[in-house]
């Protein structure tokens, strides 16, 4: 197949990958703007979510809870419940990590918080390896047939449509939350000016808890979706995506969740389309190069604010 | 009976003592201005009153509460509001959202309060849906005051409300301050360019080197030759 003819298909892969990177990026961006540090444990929150879903799904299967597939999708009721519960449990776990660690270090400044997040990242990954081994685990062994759309020159699996649709729904939900709810507005206020938020009477601790709920919930979703797309998960899945996520966040403008969505999409598409021209092995390098160029040319990112 | 009493307060940043034994008082519905040269400790005094800095000595009372070691979010609940000199608005939020944030701790319907604030600052109603980051300095100052008024405070602390404003705009802000005061709110203003502010104040204090220097009615301070020469630029 000629290089050019492969591009539409690679765009599809890019949008799928970009959907997952965007969901991860929103959390990184919110944590950065509201809590004031780059959270290197975010990728491992994704892996945590993916493994909690695996654990629950295994448990449900053992209990005989049915998982008859929903139409053409590769999963059914049992997995969906595991998926939703995993989102909630990941959020709870992350809030506990905040109470145990990040909250105590809040006054120590962004560098200390960032370093401690690297510790959290290593800790979580090793806990996952301890319980599940570093070997890949499978959500399903089923092979799903892709649907061909010859007019567009693409093939796409029903699961992949589900991934893109989930990302779109969640982005709309997050947008509505940030735009129209009192807590969402308070989150933007704290991101704007935390001191002023405090003197205004905004309960910053509650804002922080909500920030973690959204960041961790979206991270768990991204981790599980990557498991659905790749069919397997490893404890390293989030860590391996973290560079691309950060690249997307920086590209879009760190601290701006909309920038994270745009940046994640651009990085996802660039990585996939690059494979038409260069070896697949260079995918992470593509993200890295885009991030470096952006930092040199416009460090505030595509949608970033000045200062 | 005084609304706010600052009694021989010593405060500063870390080991650096800025205020030494400063005392001031504000009665309900008064306008009081604190003037003094740059570095006199005026902003430090405001931050100390509002709990952003902890005094190392002295007491602060507000209404019936000793608030010396209260945090800002506790103080705001007691009916005091603070408008910092800079970064006193949420720039990425709209005018209305800024006002809503001012009412964050209110659980009742504050729609009427927003209307009252729009009546005080009509320009804000016109700009209701605009992001504050794109507005002028004078408009931002009105947003900041509006936000501070959302909780129906008994006292507002204004840190240099006319700083960085063109003279005609400063004039507008001072008119609005008087209008706010007429709704029954006591106002404590810190000003470097103090003539305007003293002119509309019931009383004033002169702070220098972190200590009380003078206190009198606004009128008398303006008439005092020594103060005029030293602190009001002749």
């Amino acid at each position: 197949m000629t290089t050019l003819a492969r591009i539409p298909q690679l765009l599809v892969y890019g949008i799928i990958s970009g959907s997952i990177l965007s969901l991860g990026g929103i959390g990184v961006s919110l944590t950065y703007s509201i809590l004031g540090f780059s959270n290197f444990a975010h990728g491992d929150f994704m892996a945590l979510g993916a493994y909690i879903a695996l654990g629950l799904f295994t448990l449900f299967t053992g209990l005989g809870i049915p998982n008859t597939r929903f139409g053409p999708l590769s999963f059914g009721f049992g997995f969906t419940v595991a998926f939703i519960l995993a989102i909630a449990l990941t959020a709870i776990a992350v809030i506990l990590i905040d109470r145990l660690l990040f909250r105590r270090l809040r006054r120590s400044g962004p560098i200390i918080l960032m370093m401690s997040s690297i510790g959290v990242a290593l800790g979580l990954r090793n806990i996952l390896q301890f319980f599940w081994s570093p070997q890949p685990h499978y959500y399903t062994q089923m092979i799903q047939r892709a649907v061909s759309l010859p007019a567009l020159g693409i093939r796409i699996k029903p699961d992949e449509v589900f991934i893109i649709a989930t990302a779109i729904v969640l982005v709309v939900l997050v947008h509505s939350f940030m735009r129209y709810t009192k807590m969402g507005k308070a989150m933007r206020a704290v991101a704007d000016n935390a001191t002023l938020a405090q003197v205004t009477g905004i309960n910053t601790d509650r804002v922080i808890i909500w920030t973690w709920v959204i960041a961790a919930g979206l991270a768990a979703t991204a981790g599980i979706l990557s498991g659905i797309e790749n069919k397997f998960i490893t404890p390293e899945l989030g860590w391996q995506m973290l560079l691309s996520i950060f690249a997307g966040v920086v590209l879009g403008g760190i601290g701006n969740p909309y920038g994270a969505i745009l940046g994640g999409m651009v990085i996802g598409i660039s990585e996939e389309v690059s494979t038409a021209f260069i070896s697949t092995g260079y995918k992470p390098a593509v993200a890295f190069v885009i991030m470096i160029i952006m930092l040199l040319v416009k460090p505030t990112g595509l949608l970033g604010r000045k200062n | 009976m005084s609304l706010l009493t600052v009694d021989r307060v010593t405060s500063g940043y870390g080991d650096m003592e800025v205020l030494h034994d400063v005392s001031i008082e504000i009665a309900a519905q008064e306008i009081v201005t604190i003037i003094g040269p740059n570095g006199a400790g005026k902003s430090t005094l405001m931050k100390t009153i509002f709990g952003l800095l902890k005094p190392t000595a002295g007491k602060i009372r507000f209404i019936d509460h000793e608030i010396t070691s209260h945090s800002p979010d506790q103080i705001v609940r007691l009916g005091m509001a603070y408008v910092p000199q800079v970064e006193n608005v949420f720039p990425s939020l709209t005018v209305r959202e800024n006002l809503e944030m001012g009412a964050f701790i209110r659980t009742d319907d504050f729609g009427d309060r927003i209307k009252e604030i729009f009546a005080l600052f009509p320009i804000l109603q016109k700009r209701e849906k605009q992001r504050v980051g794109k507005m002028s300095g004078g408009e931002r100052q009105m947003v900041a005051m509006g936000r501070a008024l959302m909780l129906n405070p008994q006292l507002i602390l204004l840190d240099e409300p006319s700083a960085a404003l063109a003279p005609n705009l400063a004039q507008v802000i001072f008119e609005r301050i008087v209008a706010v005061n007429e709704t029954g709110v006591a106002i404590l203003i810190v000003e470097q360019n103090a003539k305007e502010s003293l002119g509309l104040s019931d009383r004033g204090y002169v702070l220098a080197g972190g200590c009380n220097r003078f206190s009198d009615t606004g009128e008398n301070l303006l008439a005092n030759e020594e103060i005029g020469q030293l602190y009001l630029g002749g």
Side-chain angles (χ1 to χ4, degrees):
Chain A
M1 203 191 269
T2 65
T3 301
L4 221 57
R6 284 174 60 203
I7 299 238
Q9 185 60 49
L10 291 173
L11 274 175
V12 171
Y13 291 145
I15 291 169
I16 296 161
S17 153
S19 301
I20 295 169
L21 295 178
S22 296
L23 292 181
I26 294 170
V28 168
S29 200
L30 288 177
T31 330
Y32 181 84
S33 60
I34 293 168
L35 287 111
F37 73 102
S38 302
N39 178 20
F40 279 85
H42 200 76
D44 299 278
F45 293 170
M46 293 164 67
L48 179 67
Y51 274 89
I52 293 177
L54 176 72
L56 290 170
F57 182 47
T58 313
L59 179 73
F60 291 169
T61 311
L63 291 173
I65 293 175
N67 190 44
T68 318
R69 289 184 281 120
F70 290 146
L73 297 176
S74 70
F75 55 87
F77 177 75
F79 186 78
T80 308
V81 175
F83 191 155
I84 293 166
L85 282 179
I87 292 171
L89 289 176
T90 306
I92 292 169
V94 168
I95 290 168
L96 285 177
I97 292 170
D98 179 73
R99 301 288 103 167
L100 279 171
L101 188 70
F102 295 137
R103 182 162 75 167
R104 293 163 200 269
L105 298 172
R106 211 98 76 206
R107 286 170 185 280
S108 317
I111 303 292
I112 302 288
L113 282 163
M114 187 193 79
M115 297 302 282
S116 70
S117 78
I118 295 174
V120 170
L122 288 168
L124 278 177
R125 212 173 313 146
N126 282 290
I127 289 171
L128 295 179
Q129 289 189 2
F130 178 78
F131 284 107
W132 278 283
S133 90
Q135 300 306 316
H137 280 75
Y138 293 82
Y139 283 151
T140 169
Q141 303 276 17
M142 186 196 117
I143 294 168
Q144 197 178 32
R145 285 188 57 179
V147 180
S148 211
L149 300 168
L152 299 171
I154 58 167
R155 295 162 60 79
I156 188 163
K157 292 176 193 150
D159 276 2
E160 294 170 338
V161 175
F162 170 79
I163 290 169
I164 296 169
T166 305
I168 292 171
V169 168
L170 288 176
V171 163
V172 170
L173 279 179
V174 170
H175 167 76
S176 310
F177 180 83
M178 300 289 288
R179 187 93 175 72
Y180 301 113
T181 70
K182 181 176 173 183
M183 187 46 72
K185 291 172 193 174
M187 283 172 63
R188 289 190 284 135
V190 174
D192 264 6
N193 187 338
T195 314
L196 185 65
Q198 195 200 1
V199 306
T200 302
I202 293 175
N203 185 334
T204 42
D205 197 52
R206 232 167 72 206
V207 168
I208 286 171
I209 288 180
W210 273 96
T211 306
W212 282 126
V213 166
I214 293 172
L218 293 178
T221 308
I224 297 166
L225 292 180
S226 89
I228 292 175
E229 167 65 3
N230 300 324
K231 294 287 171 266
F232 66 89
I233 57 176
T234 72
E236 302 238 307
L237 75 88
W239 181 248
Q240 284 164 352
M241 261 190 276
L242 196 63
L243 175 67
S244 302
I245 290 174
F246 267 103
V249 168
V250 168
L251 178 67
I254 190 154
N256 181 334
Y258 302 102
I261 297 162
L262 174 68
M265 213 30 104
V266 172
I267 295 290
I269 291 171
S270 309
E271 285 184 344
E272 295 300 333
V273 172
S274 77
T275 62
F277 308 98
I278 52 177
S279 156
T280 317
Y282 289 120
K283 264 197 219 175
V286 170
F288 197 66
V289 167
I290 293 176
M291 181 166 80
I292 296 288
I293 291 173
M294 200 63 200
L295 284 172
L296 289 172
V297 176
K298 191 166 182 279
T300 50
L302 293 172
L303 305 182
R305 273 178 260 154
K306 288 182 199 97
N307 68 63
Chain B
M1 201 199 108
S2 76
L3 185 64
L4 176 78
T5 313
V6 175
D7 185 17
R8 285 166 295 159
V9 158
T10 296
S11 175
Y13 302 86
D15 288 338
M16 195 178 72
E17 201 175 281
V18 179
L19 299 176
H20 320 282
D21 284 338
V22 169
S23 299
I24 63 164
E25 257 185 274
I26 300 156
Q29 303 183 18
E30 247 188 336
I31 301 184
V32 172
T33 293
I34 301 173
I35 65 165
N38 224 344
K42 304 183 300 289
S43 291
T44 309
L45 176 59
M46 288 236 160
K47 288 180 188 164
T48 305
I49 293 171
F50 208 70
L52 290 163
L53 295 171
K54 296 277 167 261
T56 47
K59 278 191 174 20
I60 304 170
R61 289 189 63 79
F62 179 59
I63 315 177
D64 294 325
H65 309 269
E66 153 121 35
I67 58 163
T68 318
S69 55
H70 276 33
S71 61
D73 46 309
Q74 288 174 303
I75 292 171
V76 93
R77 282 176 165 75
L78 296 175
M80 195 195 302
Y82 169 53
V83 180
Q85 183 185 345
V86 289
E87 297 186 353
N88 52 20
V89 290
F90 300 113
S92 74
L93 273 58
T94 64
V95 169
R96 194 185 177 88
E97 286 170 344
N98 266 272
L99 298 180
E100 288 173 8
M101 287 301 104
F104 186 85
I105 60 177
R106 283 180 73 155
T107 48
D108 56 337
D109 177 25
F110 49 79
D112 286 347
R113 186 59 182 160
I114 289 188
K115 278 185 201 135
E116 286 166 23
I117 284 162
F118 282 160
L120 278 168
F121 307 102
I123 185 84
L124 298 189
Q125 182 155 25
K126 280 191 209 145
R127 301 253 194 278
E128 191 178 347
K129 298 214 165 112
Q130 204 171 81
R131 283 192 190 191
V132 175
K134 296 191 169 150
M135 294 167 69
S136 71
E139 289 166 346
R140 279 168 181 241
Q141 191 62 40
M142 292 187 210
V143 172
M145 283 164 60
R147 192 212 77 235
L149 286 166
M150 281 304 292
L151 294 175
N152 295 80
Q154 297 198 45
L155 171 65
I156 292 198
L157 314 182
L158 300 177
D159 195 345
E160 305 229 15
S162 78
L165 293 185
N168 55 331
L169 263 176
Q171 188 56 46
V172 173
I173 292 293
F174 282 122
E175 277 168 20
R176 293 297 91 201
I177 290 172
V178 172
V180 168
N181 176 248
E182 280 164 0
T183 67
V185 185
I187 297 175
L188 176 64
I189 310 173
V190 149
E191 267 293 337
Q192 213 172 328
N193 306 318
K195 278 185 186 168
E196 204 81 54
S197 185
L198 279 178
L200 54 86
S201 295
D202 299 300
R203 292 184 305 111
Y205 290 87
V206 180
L207 216 60
C211 300
N212 286 103
R213 279 285 184 268
F214 300 92
S215 70
D216 208 327
T217 63
E219 223 170 302
N220 288 350
L221 285 175
L222 274 176
N224 186 314
E225 250 179 57
E226 189 188 347
I227 291 171
Q229 277 178 0
L230 283 174
Y231 306 112
L232 301 176

